[in-house]
Amino acid sequence: MLLYPELETPVVIVRQDTLDNNIARMARAAKDLGFSLRPHCKTHKSLEIARRQLAAGASGLTVAKVSEAEVMQMVTPPSILVANQIIGWDKAQRLIRLNQTVPVISGVDSTEGARFLNQAAAQAGCKLTVSLEINTGLHRAGVLPGMPALTLARELVQLPNLHFWGIFTHAGHAYAASDPEQRSVIGRDEGRQMVDLAQQLRSAGVLIENVSVGSTPTALDAGAVAGVTEVRPGNYVFYDAMQIALGVATEADCALRVITTVISRPTPTRAVVDCGSKTLALDRGAHGTGSLPGHGRVLGGYRRVLERLSEEHGVLRIEAHDPLQIGDRLEVIPNHACVVVNLTDQLVVVAAGKPLTTWNVQARGCTR
């Protein structure tokens, strides 16, 4: 039976029931473990999904860029965390304007960045809220825990046009975990490092309101550490092949799929589909780990490896006895749902094997 015959392929679909279950499950976990949930919208970039997260009890939203915040403010969240450093006069002015509509928290990790925001806020006659980014092992942005963080925090509280709100981190190195136990160890360590730092800051007289951790793989382990107040997972709304490999999700949990059509079978062991890198992107593992065997998880019960992509073609390695024919449709769980969403204008929402509606990806292509 042809998958979704009403739809042209390639097409990105969202299974509504699965999406709603994922949102509800994380919301329940937040309530049970006693942390606030501030989901990261870079995964879905969709106002409709953000509304669902807020309706399920999210305390606010997280974004990666000012441009995403400008879109997400349309759902009137209680507040928005821009989990990034804001450098550049234009971005600072937009942040200040946005802050007049919805409370915005900006990430900082340097004296220079903090002083820049303080100057921008002073010139605008306002005060900006900031959170200090901490490097708990990813070694991307962020200041190290301990004395480096304490020194910078002491500087922040002296800047008159900044309100120092808290600390946040992203343990993205969990994506390189070799097994679920190592992933859990990274998550627990993420939470402990942040709670220990918060206590160190408070003991030094630096008051903070929020201790925030992030990442879908570590959300529940880090969030279970007493003293963590907020968790910021993003991918959990959809899940993907990376989350399956990490033991965080199963195929049944994956709400985002790509439907593609077989357009060629040049040899018994090779088939070609009509989705390539412009649909699935080229991720083979988060943060450059290259840990996944193909460019997506092809469903259907046969050994089918999506081993290479061109822009509009996907090349499958299959077994000679595979009955796959030209015109057949396949369902693919992307390696990385976040980048797939950023490559499409709309998500087709489906239930019981039928399309229901489409949701626009309003924050798609936000680059600043």
Side-chain angles (χ1 to χ4, degrees), residues 227-239:
V228 168
T229 62
E230 178 180 273
V231 178
R232 309 181 325 278
N235 189 274
Y236 78 95
V237 293
F238 294 142
Y239 294 114

Side-chain angles (χ1 to χ4, degrees), residues 1 17 19 44 68 86 106 113 123 159 164 184 190 199 222 234 239 243 272 294 329 353:
M1 182 171 144
D17 290 348
L19 171 79
H44 56 73
E68 288 180 345
I86 305 302
S106 174
Q123 291 189 19
L159 296 172
F164 181 34
S184 293
E190 173 191 15
Q199 182 57 47
Y239 294 114
Q243 305 297 339
V272 182
R329 292 188 170 195

Side-chain angles (χ1 to χ4, degrees), residues 90-280:
D90 177 68
K91 290 181 184 178
Q93 295 305 303
R94 289 160 55 205
L95 187 77
I96 289 166
R97 287 195 297 270
L98 181 63
N99 196 48
Q100 296 170 357
T101 303
V102 59
V104 181
I105 306 106
S106 174
V108 292
D109 73 346
S110 68
T111 299
E112 295 85 353
R115 288 177 178 172
F116 167 72
L117 286 179
N118 182 69
Q119 180 186 10
Q123 291 189 19
C126 68
K127 199 163 187 172
L128 290 174
T129 300
V130 297
S131 188
L132 180 59
E133 183 168 8
I134 307 301
N135 173 14
T136 52
L138 178 58
H139 304 306
R140 191 175 62 182
V143 64
L144 288 170
M147 190 54 65
L150 178 58
T151 300
L152 183 51
R154 282 172 167 160
E155 293 181 23
L156 284 175
V157 297
Q158 297 302 315
L159 296 172
N161 289 86
L162 297 186
H163 167 61
F164 181 34
W165 183 58
I167 54 177
F168 77 101
T169 192
H170 169 61
H173 52 297
Y175 281 95
S178 58
D179 55 52
E181 178 54 31
Q182 186 184 18
R183 184 200 76 232
S184 293
V185 168
I186 292 170
R188 293 192 294 271
D189 181 63
E190 173 191 15
R192 290 193 197 104
Q193 285 192 66
M194 293 293 282
V195 170
D196 289 348
L197 175 58
Q199 182 57 47
Q200 183 181 3
L201 292 171
R202 289 165 180 148
S203 296
V206 179
L207 300 180
I208 63 172
E209 302 169 44
N210 195 49
V211 179
S212 180
V213 298
S215 114
T216 291
T218 65
L220 300 184
D221 290 300
V225 176
V228 168
T229 62
E230 178 180 273
V231 178
R232 309 181 325 278
N235 189 274
Y236 78 95
V237 293
F238 294 142
Y239 294 114
D240 52 27
M242 283 191 284
Q243 305 297 339
I244 295 173
L246 288 165
V248 177
T250 66
E251 288 182 356
D253 296 320
C254 293
L256 189 93
R257 313 286 179 94
V258 171
I259 308 300
T260 184
T261 300
V262 178
I263 59 173
S264 177
R265 187 168 179 176
T267 76
T269 57
R270 186 171 80 246
V272 182
V273 293
D274 65 355
C275 70
S277 63
K278 287 183 175 178
T279 302
L280 287 170

Side-chain angles (χ1 to χ4, degrees), residues 265 268 302 319-324:
R265 187 168 179 176
Y302 289 85
E319 297 171 318
H321 65 271
D322 192 319
L324 203 60

